[in-house]
Amino acid sequence: MKIIYHCEGDNNSAVLMAAIHLEKLLKEKKPTKKDLTEIAYFDKNFFPEPGKILFMGKDLNGNEVFVFSRKKIGLVVERALLGIAKIYGLEKELILINTDTNIPWVVNFGWFILRKLQQKKIGEQIITKGVGRCYKRNVQLVEKIKKFAAAGGRKQL
Amino acid sequence: MKVIYHCFGSSHSSVVAANIHVGNLPMDRIPTRQEIIALPHFDKTESKQIGIPFFIGKDEWNNDVYIIGMTHKKNIVRTAIISLLNIFNIAQTEIILINALEHINIMTKIGGFLSRGIGFTFIGRPIVLYGIQACYSNLINLVDKTKKDLIYNMNLDENQ
C-alpha cells in the first residue's frame, strides 16, 4: 500500500504527518522545536518542485509513505491520481490524504513570519506552539489511516 | 499505451482532439455543429469532475485514448502523474500526455469560460462551436503530429 500525504506546500503539514506516521516523533509527547528541526519540518525548500512525489520511508506494516506539495489544486490532483491508478487497476493500493485542514491557523501565521518576514526564531517558536495544539488530533488521524491501510481499503480523508 | 489529451476543464479542446484521434470526427473536413455537440463529454464536464480521466475510445493501434482536465496548473498535475507512475514502477513511455489547450483560439476559451465557468450555456455554447470550427485545422495538425510520434515510438520498440 502506498500512503501519500499532500499539502499546499506553504506549511509543510504533509512532512509533519509523514513523520508522525513513520514514528519519528513520539506519540504521547508534544514535539519540541528540536524534534521538528530533526525531521526537517522547518526546511523552507522541502518541496523544490510542486507535484513531485517524494519517498519518506516504510512504516512497520510495510506501507510506503510519500509526500508532495500541489499548491491550491488538491481536489484536481487527487481525482487525477486516483483516476490514473484506476486505469491500471491500482486504486486499492493508494491512499491520498489532504493534510491542509489538519493544521490550525497559528501554524500558517508562523510560516508567514518565517517565510515572508524572514524572522527565523520567532517564526519557529510560533509554529512549534501551533503544532502542539493540533498534535493529539493528528496522531489520532494517523492511527485511523493506519487501521484503514491494514484493512486494505481506499478512501480520501 | 495510453494517450491522454489534457486541457483546462476536459470539456472542449481535449474532447475534440481525442475524438479526432479515435476517428469519431473527420480529418479531411470541418465537422458540422451537430456532429460536435453529439460528442460525449462535450461541454458537459462539471467543475467538480475536473481531474477525472474519461475514456474516449481506442485508436487504430489499440491504444486507449483518455481526456483529463488540469485547470491552469498543468505542470503540477503532469509532474504528479509522472511521479505516480514512477512509484508504481510503470514505464514513463506507457503514457503520453498531450496539451490540447494551446492549439485552440481565444474565442473557444471565452466561450468555454461563459458556458462552463459561469454557467451561461446558451451564450457560451454557440461561441465555443464557432471557435472550434475556426481552429479545427490546428487540432487536426496536433493529432497528426501525435500519431506520427506514436508510429515513431512503435518502430523504435520493434527495432529493439
Side-chain angles (χ1 to χ4, degrees), chain A residues 2 4 49-55 64 66 68-73 75-85 87-88 90-91 93-94 96, chain B residues 2 4 47-53 64 66 68-77 79-81 83-91 94-95:
Chain A
K2 323 264 185 202
I4 305 182
E49 195 185 347
K52 189 148 171 92
I53 303 174
L54 308 168
F55 180 64
E64 290 170 70
F66 300 84
F68 77 104
S69 78
R70 38 85 188 134
K71 301 292 176 206
K72 290 187 176 163
I73 49 166
L75 287 174
V76 175
V77 172
E78 268 187 2
R79 288 189 284 249
L81 293 187
L82 283 176
I84 297 288
I87 290 173
Y88 290 98
L90 295 165
E91 78 270 26
E93 291 288 304
L94 186 66
L96 290 165
Chain B
K2 323 281 178 201
I4 302 181
S47 59
K48 61 174 187 288
Q49 293 176 317
I50 293 178
I52 302 173
D64 295 335
Y66 291 85
I68 193 168
M70 293 192 177
T71 67
H72 48 280
K73 296 266 169 61
K74 62 173 187 300
N75 294 339
I76 296 175
V77 186
T79 318
I81 289 175
S83 299
L84 188 79
L85 296 184
N86 273 337
I87 67 173
F88 278 120
N89 291 326
I90 300 166
E94 267 292 300
I95 279 191

Side-chain angles (χ1 to χ4, degrees), chain B residues 38-58:
Chain B
L39 298 172
H41 301 297
F42 183 80
D43 206 23
K44 286 189 191 67
T45 317
E46 305 276 334
S47 59
K48 61 174 187 288
Q49 293 176 317
I50 293 178
I52 302 173
F54 292 113
F55 181 68
I56 295 294
K58 280 183 186 286

Side-chain angles (χ1 to χ4, degrees), chain A residues 15-26:
Chain A
V15 183
L16 179 72
M17 295 292 280
I20 298 173
H21 191 119
L22 295 169
E23 292 173 19
K24 286 177 185 166
L25 295 173
L26 290 174

Side-chain angles (χ1 to χ4, degrees), chain B residues 4-39:
Chain B
I4 302 181
Y5 287 91
H6 64 85
C7 66
F8 189 95
S10 67
S11 58
H12 303 118
S13 52
S14 57
V15 178
V16 174
N19 276 294
I20 298 172
H21 191 113
V22 299
N24 291 345
L25 286 176
M27 279 190 98
D28 48 357
R29 65 178 171 85
I30 294 174
T32 60
R33 287 159 159 245
Q34 282 74 23
E35 277 178 293
I36 300 175
I37 291 181
L39 298 172

Side-chain angles (χ1 to χ4, degrees), chain A residues 1-36:
Chain A
M1 186 81 78
K2 323 264 185 202
I3 298 168
I4 305 182
Y5 293 95
H6 59 95
C7 66
E8 220 172 81
D10 286 345
N11 56 25
N12 283 7
S13 51
V15 183
L16 179 72
M17 295 292 280
I20 298 173
H21 191 119
L22 295 169
E23 292 173 19
K24 286 177 185 166
L25 295 173
L26 290 174
K27 266 182 210 169
E28 306 81 30
K29 204 172 118 286
K30 285 179 183 176
T32 59
K33 201 163 141 184
K34 196 166 151 258
D35 296 334
L36 291 177

